[in-house]
Amino acid sequence: MGLVSVFWEILKKPTIGDVVRELLIFIAPLWVAVIVGVLVGWAWKPKWANIGREMFMDCSGSKNSAPAESSESSSSGFGSLPSLNLIKFQLSSAISWISDDGPQKDSFFLSPTLHSNCSSSQNEKEKLGFLTDDDLEHLYKLVEEKDGGPAWIHMMDKSTPTMVYQAWQRDLEIGPTQYRSRTVFDDATPEMVRDFFWDDEFRSKLKWDEMLLSAETLESSPTDGTMMVQWVRKFPFFCSDREYLIGRRIWSCGRTYYCVTKGVPYPSIPRKTKPRRVDLYYSSWCIRAAESRKGDGQLTACEVLLFHHENMGIPWEIAKLGVKLGMWGTVRKIDPGLRAYQTERASGAPLSHSASMAQINTKVTQDYLRSLESNSNDSSELETHNSSEKPGKNNIPKLVVVGGAIAVACILDRGLLTKAVIFGVARRFAKIGRRL
């Protein structure tokens, strides 16, 4: 009743200006407390903060090599409670992001296709056998929307004079948000787009991917084109840069190309504190010819279906907000990069090593792909309405999201998380308030 009486006294002020001023005075200490709490959380890390992180297995050398299901069921009795499992995973991710001073321990073992198979020997991994037909099957089912996952929720439709872009997202019970996109490039062949995405040397030279600091080919197979590459990507200054050890391979069926890239363990490269290694990484494309927007019925355009998710060591809600704000700004830089690549290739410039490896593919038939599809009757759906928050998928309390967004926005001038975060979160929080 005391709180109600205070509000009543404020509302009894004679003018609207007085009411607003009194409300600001009343609420300001709460916001200050939230911001101070977030800043203190960044600066101070208690000893018990590593407890949650030790619960997770590290695929490339962890002491605990038991299956993920066993680990979950033995951790404080959380195995039978999915909601508590979710809280446990999110807490570890948040602690890992705040500390940002050690190897990433919160890799999620979702399936052999989403993460590398830890049961295989390290020697086999280093013989470039870490990408198999299981990875092709998984990507093919994603393309055909028969992977058995939840429905995809529509995010955006954007276009330029020479490119069309659509994006969807979905959340699993455990693990980071997954993204699906469809991009159509006018006047481009599937082979040119395939080489363009594979060409790390051109990506580094032109800087159309501004986050890429360095790229190095560790191994490559002249037999099937499998590659092992090491990337270092730039993150905002409050986070360390990220290291990726990526296995890559391409399967072809006619002029349709299934390009798989994912994080794999590679013991020859020791884990370092900085740059921090990202273990869970999946980014794969289906590249194929498409009909031109000119309406002439000619297959002179190229369609790219991308499926992407990764655990960057940033709380999922903050990562989702950053992706939503920065996705189109990043994607629209791809088209100028592709046009520059077409010009360079037309000039007769020699192929880089990465681009030449992109032309070594494992050929499969349409009958073989249909046999993969018949292995499962599961399907996922595409939802056409805009994304909205799902009940039960609330990884971080609303107040922490708001306070954290304000603190991050106040220290950033550029990048994915900008001061626009304040307005987006404020609108979302206002809607919650109206419902209450």
Side-chain angles (χ1 to χ4, degrees):
M1 293 300 293
L3 187 60
V4 173
S5 63
V6 171
F7 273 112
W8 183 248
E9 290 297 326
I10 293 175
L11 295 175
K12 289 169 63 177
K13 296 294 180 180
T15 65
I16 295 296
D18 291 337
V19 172
V20 172
R21 184 174 61 255
E22 291 294 331
L23 285 174
L24 290 176
I25 294 174
F26 181 77
I27 295 174
L30 298 178
W31 286 110
V32 171
V34 170
I35 295 174
V36 170
V38 172
L39 294 177
V40 170
W42 283 344
W44 172 73
K45 175 187 173 185
K47 294 181 179 179
W48 49 262
N50 285 324
I51 295 177
R53 297 172 65 182
E54 292 171 356
M55 294 180 181
F56 300 95
M57 300 181 301
D58 186 273
C59 185
S60 57
S62 173
K63 295 179 182 179
N64 301 321
S65 58
E69 292 82 5
S70 174
S71 175
E72 292 175 7
S73 62
S74 62
S75 300
S76 304
F78 289 163
S80 59
L81 298 175
S83 60
L84 291 182
N85 266 328
L86 189 61
I87 294 173
K88 181 182 68 173
F89 278 116
Q90 182 59 57
L91 178 60
S92 177
S93 179
I95 292 172
S96 176
W97 176 63
I98 291 170
S99 62
D100 199 28
D101 61 355
Q104 183 177 357
K105 298 294 186 180
D106 48 350
S107 300
F108 305 107
F109 291 77
L110 301 178
S111 73
T113 54
L114 299 187
H115 203 283
S116 47
N117 186 354
C118 300
S119 63
S120 300
S121 67
Q122 293 179 353
N123 290 334
E124 289 177 347
K125 295 298 183 187
E126 297 204 45
K127 290 179 182 177
L128 302 186
F130 37 67
L131 294 175
T132 68
D133 284 355
D134 289 341
D135 297 290
L136 169 62
E137 178 180 351
H138 179 64
L139 175 57
Y140 179 74
K141 289 181 178 179
L142 285 171
V143 171
E144 300 299 322
E145 302 170 30
K146 295 187 177 181
D147 65 304
W152 294 97
I153 301 174
H154 185 257
M155 293 177 63
M156 67 176 65
D157 284 287
K158 299 286 186 178
S159 64
T160 69
T162 56
M163 182 184 75
V164 174
Y165 180 76
Q166 298 171 290
W168 297 262
Q169 69 178 19
R170 68 181 182 182
D171 292 309
L172 278 65
E173 289 188 5
I174 294 177
T177 299
Q178 298 184 357
Y179 297 94
R180 177 188 191 271
S181 68
R182 177 181 181 268
T183 309
V184 178
F185 298 100
D186 292 338
D187 300 318
T189 65
E191 292 75 21
M192 183 68 69
V193 175
R194 173 201 64 191
D195 295 353
F196 169 68
F197 280 120
W198 231 242
D199 198 332
D200 288 343
E201 290 85 348
F202 186 82
R203 187 187 292 253
S204 299
K205 179 176 69 174
L206 191 65
K207 296 294 184 183
W208 65 265
D209 183 354
E210 294 180 347
M211 291 184 66
L212 185 66
L213 292 178
S214 66
E216 179 183 357
T217 299
L218 303 176
E219 289 190 61
S220 57
S221 169
T223 303
D224 59 14
T226 301
M227 299 180 68
M228 183 72 203
V229 300
Q230 180 186 34
W231 279 8
V232 176
R233 296 179 70 81
K234 177 176 62 178
F235 270 58
F237 66 87
F238 61 88
C239 294
S240 63
D241 296 333
R242 296 303 196 256
E243 175 196 44
Y244 298 77
L245 296 177
I246 301 171
R248 311 198 296 198
R249 184 178 174 185
I250 300 176
W251 287 261
S252 63
C253 178
R255 297 187 67 198
T256 299
Y257 300 95
Y258 297 90
C259 310
V260 175
T261 74
K262 70 175 186 178
V264 296
Y266 195 75
S268 295
I269 305 296
R271 188 184 296 272
K272 297 179 292 187
T273 301
K274 293 182 179 181
R276 180 178 174 183
R277 183 169 298 175
V278 174
D279 292 310
L280 178 56
Y281 174 83
Y282 184 86
S283 190
S284 299
W285 306 273
C286 174
I287 302 174
R288 56 195 179 190
E291 186 174 341
S292 168
R293 285 189 291 171
K294 299 174 184 177
D296 55 8
Q298 300 298 312
L299 298 178
T300 56
C302 178
E303 177 189 59
V304 179
L305 297 177
L306 168 67
F307 300 89
H308 181 95
H309 65 268
E310 63 180 288
N311 178 25
M312 299 177 287
I314 296 175
W316 298 334
E317 291 290 343
I318 300 297
K320 285 174 64 176
L321 188 59
V323 169
K324 185 175 181 180
L325 292 173
M327 179 179 287
W328 174 238
T330 300
V331 169
R332 65 184 176 186
K333 297 176 183 176
I334 298 177
D335 189 56
L338 174 61
R339 306 308 168 182
Y341 191 69
Q342 289 175 314
T343 301
E344 180 171 294
R345 290 284 293 271
S347 70
L351 286 179
S352 67
H353 175 69
S354 298
S356 63
M357 294 303 296
Q359 300 183 3
I360 304 175
N361 309 148
T362 301
K363 293 180 171 53
V364 296
T365 65
Q366 190 63 46
D367 290 339
Y368 178 73
L369 292 177
R370 278 194 290 265
S371 71
L372 299 179
E373 183 179 343
S374 64
N375 290 341
S376 174
N377 294 322
D378 295 333
S379 63
S380 56
E381 300 176 354
L382 290 177
E383 296 188 7
T384 57
H385 59 271
N386 289 330
S387 59
S388 58
E389 186 179 355
K390 300 177 183 178
K393 185 62 179 177
N394 188 10
N395 294 329
I396 304 179
K398 290 290 185 296
L399 200 58
V400 176
V401 173
V402 175
I406 290 176
V408 171
C410 287
I411 62 174
L412 289 181
D413 291 326
R414 58 193 294 272
L416 297 182
L417 297 178
T418 65
K419 290 182 175 60
V421 171
I422 295 178
F423 303 102
V425 173
R427 285 195 298 268
R428 184 175 178 183
F429 195 69
K431 292 179 182 178
I432 297 171
R434 285 197 296 269
R435 287 198 298 268
L436 294 178

